[in-house]
Amino acid sequence: LSAGSVESLRERIATELLAARERTAVLTGSIEEPDLVAQHSPLMSPLVWDLAHIGNQEELWLLRNVGGRDPLHPEIDPLYDAFEHPRSERPSLPLLPPAEARAYAREVRGRVLDLLETTRLDGTGLLRQGFAFGMIAQHEQQHDETMLITHQLRQGPPVLADRPPAPAPQDAALLPAEVLVPAGDFSMGTTGEPWALDNERPAHTVHVPAYYLDTVPVTNGAYQRFIDDGGYDDPRWWTPEGWAHLRQAGLAAPLFWTRDGATWLRRRFGTLEPVPAEEPVVHVCWYEADAYARWAGRRLPTEAEWEKAARHDPAAGRSRRYPWGDDAPTADHANLGQRHLRPAPAGSYPAGASPYGARQLMGDVWEWTSSDFGPYPGFRAWPYREYSEVFFGDGHKVLRGGSFGVAPIACRGTFRNWDYPIRRQIFSGFRTARDAEPRPTAAGAV
Ligand code: AVJ
Ligand code: FE
């Protein structure tokens, strides 16, 4: 890196760390103390845990591993190690109270900004193009999305200021229902993206047979037709595991939906409102997405299909960072960064369309794929096994694209999220696909 680009990298890191901390302040500052220490769902940590965990990871990776500093408060490390205590146990731990958690995160950050001034950002390993700093800014933003999920699960009146919805799409009614992605190779994953995480690496060629993909995510209106058609009462559409889960958990509609006579209402950050038909459906589990797709005569896309639609540029014959190209997302490209507290109507963001014409692949809702979370060929756990490797082969399904609660720094065409197929407190939706050519049958005949 040239001296000039090292300096602009330093500035970019400082900006990203600040942006993450401002968002953390919104998520933890808008709420009363008892609500910071309470557990709002056994699936989530108390918000005050996320806050101190953010500071603790920052201290571990930047002050200790990069800076070689001694631990500030070694006795608190086990409290904030995500692998030491499951989320359901965290409220019973002797956690730092809110004022101390804030002071700790602030103390770490002050020292990190000093370290940033004196650190060589064009090193190797953790310091290759400032990787550790980028990883930590992403980590804070990932926990900010986690805290946003906790806000959504919390009962009681709203505390987050609602934001105006995204502008209504102009040409949604004119869009084709699906786009064709012709058969061919594409480059999946990345080797050169400086702040990509280990599970996105390395780049490798994948052949993808021709398929059709929904132009936009499945909407609430379309999902209501599945419900109205008895979709939750018909085992034909569900895998055996999905049907067993439906029965045991009593699934009848997306999470946060309630019926009021003939209308569906949803709870969104403390407000009960009619379900908007034109918005992508959110808060469905993988089993629901998979069942809807089968009911519609379709299927979920594989992870490779999703990524090819989002990144492959057929004219140039190469993969790009985002559906619209290589430039960082702006407010015209995608609904990201908690700018709106909801998905944007299907068909929004024409400037964010992919070369194949698919829209809203980035932002709005995480999209379930049919794929299990596993390593790419040549995967190497780095810099710690607990980010990805320990989750491989454990029944997690991959989600792609990112929700309205994902920050631009934590979103790329290669970014992989994962969760269990029963989970739906996350901002999860989906789109469907179908083969464009008949596939060989088991007998080998077409
Ligand atoms: C990538 C969202 C599954 O929250 O468990 C945060 C991100 N890893 N701290 C998670 C993460 C460590 C992770 N997900
Ligand atoms: Fe974490």
Side-chain angles (χ1 to χ4, degrees):
L1 296 183
S2 70
S5 55
V6 166
E7 280 330 298
S8 67
L9 181 57
R10 212 182 297 284
E11 259 172 54
R12 162 127 200 269
I13 288 168
T15 304
E16 293 291 359
L17 287 172
L18 180 66
R21 191 52 51 90
E22 282 176 343
R23 187 171 169 205
T24 302
V26 167
L27 288 158
T28 58
S30 54
I31 190 160
E32 300 293 330
E33 284 230 353
D35 265 350
L36 279 175
V37 297
Q39 185 167 47
H40 300 281
S41 156
L43 296 174
M44 310 306 288
S45 315
L47 291 164
V48 76
W49 185 91
D50 288 281
L51 178 56
H53 167 81
I54 286 167
N56 190 239
Q57 288 289 107
E58 185 164 328
E59 190 202 341
L60 266 170
W61 287 102
L62 298 181
L63 296 184
R64 299 191 216 173
N65 290 345
V66 169
R69 307 288 153 79
D70 288 335
L72 290 170
H73 308 286
E75 70 285 357
I76 68 170
D77 286 351
L79 297 175
Y80 299 106
D81 178 339
F83 286 84
E84 196 102 9
H85 309 281
R87 284 179 176 178
S88 58
E89 277 176 18
R90 291 174 193 167
S92 57
L93 299 173
L95 301 177
L96 297 180
E100 286 169 47
R102 268 194 204 99
Y104 171 58
R106 199 179 319 117
E107 181 183 9
V108 170
R109 177 56 58 86
R111 292 170 191 238
V112 162
L113 293 177
D114 291 342
L115 179 70
L116 177 61
E117 290 309 312
T118 55
T119 301
R120 285 198 50 175
L121 295 176
D122 54 352
T124 55
L126 280 178
L127 284 178
R128 194 186 166 94
Q129 299 195 65
F131 174 82
F133 290 92
M135 177 181 81
I136 285 302
Q138 281 182 83
H139 179 258
E140 181 160 352
Q141 289 280 10
Q142 287 178 318
H143 277 273
D144 288 343
E145 185 185 23
T146 302
M147 290 194 282
L148 190 61
I149 294 166
T150 307
H151 274 266
Q152 168 66 341
L153 284 163
R154 175 183 163 269
Q155 303 283 337
V159 291
L160 292 173
D162 202 2
R163 310 283 179 91
Q170 299 302 303
D171 60 349
L174 306 173
L175 293 174
E178 55 184 7
V179 301
L180 172 66
V181 180
D185 289 352
F186 92 107
S187 174
M188 185 168 182
T190 179
T191 300
E193 180 70 35
W195 293 351
L197 302 167
D198 58 1
N199 63 53
E200 300 165 64
R201 303 171 184 276
H204 57 288
T205 300
V206 175
H207 179 79
V208 183
Y211 67 103
Y212 288 97
L213 184 69
D214 288 343
T215 304
V216 295
V218 171
T219 63
N220 289 320
Y223 199 83
Q224 272 179 61
R225 289 193 282 283
F226 169 60
I227 300 175
D228 293 344
D229 197 39
Y232 283 81
D233 306 314
D234 194 336
R236 265 187 305 167
W237 313 132
W238 301 75
T239 61
E241 300 77 23
W243 185 251
H245 176 64
L246 173 154
R247 299 293 296 260
Q248 181 257 317
L251 302 187
L255 187 57
F256 305 114
W257 286 30
T258 51
R259 203 194 263 283
D260 178 26
T263 20
W264 282 104
L265 303 176
R266 69 172 180 188
R267 184 161 59 85
R268 182 174 66 86
F269 299 106
T271 302
L272 202 62
E273 61 185 22
V275 169
E278 68 292 350
E279 270 181 29
V281 67
V282 59
H283 296 302
V284 289
C285 69
W286 186 90
Y287 291 130
E288 290 169 299
D290 175 67
Y292 172 98
R294 204 166 292 112
W295 168 80
R298 301 171 67 82
R299 58 176 175 78
L300 292 177
T302 66
E303 190 181 5
E305 287 172 335
W306 191 96
E307 185 170 323
K308 186 174 181 185
R311 295 186 61 214
H312 189 63
D313 174 358
R318 70 175 186 98
S319 286
R320 312 187 302 189
R321 301 173 78 192
Y322 304 103
W324 55 86
D326 293 308
D327 295 341
T330 68
D332 289 333
H333 289 125
N335 178 9
L336 291 164
Q338 204 178 309
R339 219 172 337 101
H340 309 288
L341 286 179
R342 60 200 295 166
S348 296
Y349 300 102
S354 81
Y356 295 111
R359 291 202 185 168
Q360 291 169 292
L361 285 157
M362 292 285 139
D364 296 299
V365 291
W366 285 106
E367 298 183 16
W368 287 112
T369 71
S370 63
S371 302
D372 292 326
F373 185 48
Y376 290 160
F379 168 84
R380 189 170 64 89
W382 194 80
Y384 64 112
R385 284 189 66 239
E386 290 77 14
Y387 183 76
S388 317
E389 192 177 35
V390 299
F391 298 102
F392 292 155
D394 192 30
H396 293 91
K397 297 292 184 185
V398 173
L399 300 111
R400 290 302 205 99
S403 75
F404 61 89
V406 166
I409 191 187
C411 151
R412 297 171 282 281
T414 56
F415 190 94
R416 306 171 77 198
N417 195 5
W418 65 93
D419 216 325
Y420 289 120
I422 63 169
R423 292 290 186 241
R424 54 185 203 160
Q425 82 283 2
I426 55 177
F427 302 118
S428 48
F430 63 104
R431 71 181 76 207
T432 70
R434 67 180 172 103
D435 297 352
E437 289 155 5
R439 300 269 168 97
T441 64
V446 172

